[in-house]
């Protein structure tokens, strides 16, 4: 003892009961429970956001005139929820914005809903892409319009088929 007296309003070690194993377990359970709740909130927020990866490539396609070439803009759903895709195209190389490609291809699955771990694609006729002013010797960026926002590919150099 130090000789100091504890008043009733102050906290003194002499007045506190010893910490038991049960108290330690309760503290541990409270910490683990809080971390678990935080993890669940994080996962729920992440699951709400569409997780679309946009990829591009050149592809051979069958046409009325034989075999043609198309630029394929593909939306891959890497998330756990279905995502509605409304449209797809290429960003202009001069940063002026999107270019609509109105010609439909029988191979298109955009617009459509892409299920988890599946893909939908838009086929853009290579001649139409060139006529719109795209230089295939420079990188292209594809985009998809989602119900909530857009997603775009990395700048991609297309290789000939």
């Amino acid at each position: 003892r130090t000789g100091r007296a504890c008043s009733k309003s102050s906290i003194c070690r002499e007045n506190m009961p010893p910490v038991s194993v049960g108290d330690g377990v309760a503290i541990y359970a409270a910490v683990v429970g809080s971390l678990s709740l935080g993890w669940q909130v994080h996962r729920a927020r992440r699951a709400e956001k569409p997780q679309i990866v946009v990829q591009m490539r050149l592809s051979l396609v069958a046409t009325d005139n034989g075999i043609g070439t198309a630029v394929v803009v593909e939306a891959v759903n890497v998330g756990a929820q279905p995502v509605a895709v409304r449209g797809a195209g290429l960003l202009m190389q001069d940063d002026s914005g999107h270019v609509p490609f109105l010609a439909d291809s029988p191979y298109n699955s955009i617009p459509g809903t892409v299920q988890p771990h599946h893909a939908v694609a838009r086929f853009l006729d290579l001649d139409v892409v060139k006529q719109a002013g795209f230089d295939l010797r420079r990188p292209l960026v594809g985009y998809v319009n989602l119900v909530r926002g857009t997603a775009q590919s990395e700048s991609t150099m297309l290789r000939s088929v």
Side-chain angles (χ1 to χ4, degrees), residues 92-147:
M92 287 298 290
Q93 292 168 317
D94 62 1
D95 296 328
S96 64
H98 303 309
V99 172
F101 289 89
L102 302 176
D104 277 331
S105 164
Y107 305 105
N108 288 340
S109 52
I110 293 177
T113 300
V114 58
Q115 297 299 320
H117 311 291
H118 286 81
V120 291
R122 180 77 192 250
F123 291 77
L124 308 169
D125 184 275
L126 188 60
D127 292 332
V128 173
V129 170
K130 288 178 181 177
Q131 289 171 2
F134 287 97
D135 182 357
L136 298 181
R137 296 169 296 187
R138 295 179 49 213
L140 297 174
V141 176
Y143 73 91
V144 294
N145 286 327
L146 308 173
V147 171

Side-chain angles (χ1 to χ4, degrees), residues 12 14 28 37 40 46 49 63 83 101 105 116-117 120 132 135-136 138 151:
C12 296
E14 291 94 22
Y28 173 78
L37 177 62
Q40 294 299 325
R46 186 172 176 195
K49 296 178 185 174
T63 67
V83 176
F101 289 89
S105 164
H117 311 291
V120 291
D135 182 357
L136 298 181
R138 295 179 49 213

